[in-house]
Amino acid sequence: MEIHVPAIQPDEIFRLGPLAVTNTVLTSWIALFVVIAFAVAATRNMRLVPSGLQNLGELIVEVLLGLAVQVAGSRARQFLPLVATLFLYILFANWIGIVPGVGSWNAQLPWQEGGHIVFRAPNSDLSLTAAMAIIVFFSVQIVGIRTNVKAYFVKFLWPPLIGQLEIIAEFSRPLSLALRLFGNILAGFILVEIMLQLVPPLLPVVFLGLELGVGLIQALIFAILTLAFLSLASSHGHSEASPEHSGH
Amino acid sequence: MDFTPLAVALAIGLAAIGPGIGVGLVGSKAMEAMGRNPEASGTVFLPMIIGMAFAEAIAIYGLVIAFVLVGRLH
């Protein structure tokens, strides 16, 4: 029995000039649109006493801020915009991979030969996760430089061998961020695709449920790691702010 | 003789050993901590999840290699 394993490389749907728009990019636009639409709707006509969408938005921000304070202490507010955006976008991008049709709807568009999957989980594309990791990389370097220019460069020079290893560490962090998210989501996508060919239709549902949890956890991990790296970069030269110990 | 199918199996099989043990260790220590001090369960839970994701990431690296190799089968 021939099992067809989907290609890692996403299919191209159309081109905008020299740039190829793949099914993952297309789906990421949808996830982006949902997040932005929610943000715009929640901040429209803001009142001091929130209600409706603004209330939900404030709830989300409060929960994320609480989490961020546990990791980064007093600097949490400064980093929250980037970290929270990463978390919410990655969460939506991962969960949109579970929506019926995403990853399973094959269509042959008029200008193509052969069928292609039209929508695919955005983070199952290494390009997208790497893009976010690159943004994190530059953010961390910039925060490090702004905190203490001298200490930032000295870190790579002294102690003699360990300093040089620091360079490798700096590059390995965004690499692992990208690969972790990519590997998890790709694995889920391929697993569901294979299950659909083996034991439809009930077993794939179990794995889709697993995708729900994995999507949430990986979004959380990406965001928390970003926050941890930023916090680390901004603490060189002063003592590390210790996380609050609350007795909830 | 083509060793690629063997390579695919070994890539993920061997890559899963270490992280499997690692995740188990993290989980067991977390369970122990929660058992000793049930009040701290909320505090222990999130770092446990983070630790498990770190350990699991190593296995994911092996899985990505396996996928790449599967794409190159014949």
Side-chain angles (χ1 to χ4, degrees), chain B residues 14-38:
Chain B
L14 291 177
I17 297 179
I21 299 177
V23 168
L25 280 173
V26 169
S28 87
K29 291 292 179 181
M31 292 303 124
E32 203 178 321
M34 289 194 208
R36 280 174 179 253
N37 187 2

Side-chain angles (χ1 to χ4, degrees), chain A residues 8 67 176 179-180 183-184 186-187 190 217 220-221 224-225, chain B residues 39 46 49-50 53-54 56-57 60-61 63-64 67-68 70:
Chain A
I8 296 182
L67 214 59
S176 79
L179 278 176
R180 184 183 299 112
N184 271 287
L186 181 73
I190 292 187
I217 292 179
L220 197 63
I221 296 291
I224 287 190
L225 277 179
Chain B
E39 270 184 13
L46 187 62
I49 296 291
I50 296 175
F54 265 116
E56 191 191 356
I60 298 293
Y61 301 160
L63 186 62
V64 171
F67 282 147
V68 171
V70 163

Side-chain angles (χ1 to χ4, degrees), chain A residues 138-215:
Chain A
F138 281 115
S139 305
V140 169
Q141 303 314 310
I142 290 175
V143 166
I145 293 180
R146 279 168 109 185
T147 306
N148 191 333
V149 186
K150 183 164 159 249
Y152 173 77
F153 285 107
V154 163
K155 180 178 64 179
F156 296 126
L157 298 172
W158 188 264
L161 280 178
I162 301 185
Q164 280 77 71
L165 277 180
E166 279 287 324
I167 300 184
I168 301 182
E170 285 298 316
F171 281 102
S172 76
R173 286 193 193 133
L175 183 68
S176 79
L177 274 181
L179 278 176
R180 184 183 299 112
L181 181 59
F182 166 65
N184 271 287
I185 305 303
L186 181 73
F189 167 66
I190 292 187
L191 204 57
V192 171
E193 291 288 310
I194 293 182
M195 285 298 148
L196 279 173
Q197 295 167 51
L198 280 181
V199 206
L202 286 182
L203 194 57
V205 174
V206 176
F207 286 103
L208 281 178
L210 182 64
E211 274 306 288
L212 208 65
V214 169

Side-chain angles (χ1 to χ4, degrees), chain A:
Chain A
M1 189 189 132
E2 189 66 37
I3 299 187
H4 166 70
V5 177
I8 296 182
Q9 181 79 356
D11 297 324
E12 180 183 311
I13 302 290
F14 57 87
R15 299 194 87 94
L16 287 176
L19 299 174
V21 175
T22 63
N23 43 18
T24 48
V25 170
L26 197 60
T27 322
S28 81
W29 286 347
I30 297 179
L32 263 175
F33 177 73
V34 171
V35 174
I36 293 178
F38 173 77
V40 167
T43 54
R44 193 176 284 258
N45 297 328
M46 281 172 60
R47 298 199 194 98
L48 192 57
V49 179
S51 65
L53 276 183
Q54 184 186 340
N55 206 3
L56 180 60
E58 290 196 9
L59 175 67
I60 294 174
V61 172
E62 273 173 25
V63 168
L64 291 176
L65 185 59
L67 214 59
V69 166
Q70 278 188 313
V71 175
S74 55
R75 275 177 292 263
R77 272 208 146 179
Q78 181 188 352
F79 301 136
L80 191 67
L82 176 63
V83 171
T85 304
L86 279 173
F87 171 71
L88 289 172
Y89 167 68
I90 296 177
L91 185 66
F92 267 96
N94 291 345
W95 278 356
I96 218 175
I98 304 172
V99 164
V102 176
S104 52
W105 179 35
N106 275 48
Q108 180 166 358
L109 301 152
W111 58 91
Q112 293 169 331
E113 312 106 38
H116 298 288
I117 296 177
V118 181
F119 296 108
R120 177 169 145 169
N123 292 126
S124 68
D125 186 357
L126 187 57
S127 313
L128 293 182
T129 55
M132 290 188 288
I134 290 175
I135 291 177
V136 169
F137 173 70
F138 281 115
S139 305
V140 169
Q141 303 314 310
I142 290 175
V143 166
I145 293 180
R146 279 168 109 185
T147 306
N148 191 333
V149 186
K150 183 164 159 249
Y152 173 77
F153 285 107
V154 163
K155 180 178 64 179
F156 296 126
L157 298 172
W158 188 264
L161 280 178
I162 301 185
Q164 280 77 71
L165 277 180
E166 279 287 324
I167 300 184
I168 301 182
E170 285 298 316
F171 281 102
S172 76
R173 286 193 193 133
L175 183 68
S176 79
L177 274 181
L179 278 176
R180 184 183 299 112
L181 181 59
F182 166 65
N184 271 287
I185 305 303
L186 181 73
F189 167 66
I190 292 187
L191 204 57
V192 171
E193 291 288 310
I194 293 182
M195 285 298 148
L196 279 173
Q197 295 167 51
L198 280 181
V199 206
L202 286 182
L203 194 57
V205 174
V206 176
F207 286 103
L208 281 178
L210 182 64
E211 274 306 288
L212 208 65
V214 169
L216 171 64
I217 292 179
Q218 289 307 315
L220 197 63
I221 296 291
F222 198 104
I224 287 190
L225 277 179
T226 305
L227 187 59
F229 296 155
L230 287 168
S231 174
L232 220 66
S234 69
S235 74
H236 286 300
H238 343 277
S239 53
E240 176 89 26
S242 62
E244 296 173 7
H245 292 290
S246 44
H248 354 259

